[in-house]
Amino acid sequence: MPNFQQDFPNAARYLKQRYPDKEPLSSFWHWATLVLFAILCIATIKQQLLLIGILILVAALIKGPGILLFGAIYSLLVSFFPPIGIVLSALFFLFNIRLLTKSWRVNIVTSLFYLYPLGLSLLRYFTHWDAAWQIGLELLPGLLLLHFVLMQVYYFHPSARQVAWTVLATPFELISLVLPKRFKKPFRTTAQPTRIKR
C-alpha cells in the first residue's frame, strides 16, 4: 500500500505546515461553543431570545446568498423541465434523511445547547433561584455535560468548526423550515354586474 508521506515527503511536509492537525479540544470553536452556552445559561429569557436572534442574523448573512442562488437555479431548472422538480425533491428528501441519520450525535449536542439554558430560565422563573452562587451551581453540570458530549462527538465528526457551525446555525435552519416557501398573492375576482334584459 503506497504511503504518501514516504513517497512525497516535500509535499507532505508542505501540506502539514499549511494545514496543521488541530485537536478539537484545543480549537477556538470548541471553547467558543462552551462560552456561548455559558452566556445562554446565565442570561434571562429576553437576553436568550436576543442572542438567538443574533445567531439567526449571522447565519442568514452567511448562508442566505447561497440559498438564494440555489433557489434561483432550482426554479430555472424546473421552469425549463417541470418533471425534474419531482426528481430533485425526492433526491433532497433522501439527502436530508441521510444527513439526519448521519449527524444524530450533533443533533443531541444542539438539543442540549438550546434546551438546557431554557430549562434553567424556567427553573429560575418558577423558583426565584437567581443568586450568583445558585446560577453557578446550575451552570456547572451543563458545561461539564456539554464538554463531555462534544468530546464524544469529535470521535465521529473531528472538525470542531463544523460541529460548532451546525449547532449555531440550527435556529436559522428551523426558521427556514417554518417559513412558507411561497408567498402567493390571492387573486380576487370582481363580480361583473349583470345587465337585466328587459
Side-chain angles (χ1 to χ4, degrees):
M1 184 172 181
N3 189 337
F4 182 78
Q5 289 185 351
Q6 289 178 355
D7 295 341
F8 307 100
N10 293 334
R13 192 179 316 109
Y14 170 76
L15 289 173
K16 190 158 190 172
Q17 290 172 352
R18 177 86 176 160
Y19 305 104
D21 292 334
K22 199 168 192 182
E23 289 293 323
L25 294 182
S26 62
S27 171
F28 163 80
W29 294 101
H30 173 78
W31 297 105
T33 305
L34 290 177
V35 167
L36 279 172
F37 176 75
I39 292 172
L40 274 174
C41 286
I42 63 175
T44 63
I45 291 183
K46 290 181 181 177
Q47 293 167 340
Q48 287 175 351
L49 291 176
L50 178 65
L51 184 58
I52 290 173
I54 292 171
L55 292 177
I56 291 171
L57 181 64
V58 170
L61 289 174
I62 294 172
K63 295 182 86 169
I67 291 174
L68 291 175
L69 178 65
F70 173 76
I73 294 171
Y74 179 82
S75 299
L76 186 68
L77 289 174
V78 171
S79 65
F80 284 140
F81 188 62
I84 204 170
I86 298 170
V87 176
L88 289 176
S89 297
L91 284 175
F92 294 141
F93 178 74
L94 293 174
F95 179 72
N96 287 335
I97 294 292
R98 180 179 175 274
L99 189 63
L100 281 175
T101 55
K102 187 178 177 184
S103 62
W104 62 271
R105 295 174 183 89
V106 181
N107 294 336
I108 290 175
V109 172
T110 304
S111 302
L112 176 64
F113 186 86
Y114 291 104
L115 293 180
Y116 189 84
L118 177 64
L120 290 185
S121 296
L122 293 175
L123 180 70
R124 285 196 297 268
Y125 178 77
F126 288 114
T127 60
H128 302 290
W129 291 351
D130 50 4
W133 65 273
Q134 291 171 330
I135 293 175
L137 284 178
E138 296 164 0
L139 171 63
L140 187 60
L143 271 176
L144 293 175
L145 181 61
L146 182 64
H147 180 68
F148 174 74
V149 172
L150 281 171
M151 284 180 5
Q152 301 305 313
V153 166
Y154 293 146
Y155 287 120
F156 302 95
H157 306 281
S159 173
R161 182 183 62 81
Q162 189 65 38
V163 171
W165 173 245
T166 304
V167 169
L168 299 179
T170 296
F172 173 75
E173 298 289 341
L174 293 176
I175 291 289
S176 63
L177 285 176
V178 170
L179 286 177
K181 302 295 180 198
R182 295 180 190 164
F183 295 99
K184 293 182 180 177
K185 190 175 180 181
F187 294 103
R188 294 182 182 168
T189 56
T190 55
Q192 303 253 346
T194 56
R195 294 182 181 175
I196 301 173
K197 293 184 180 179
R198 294 183 181 176

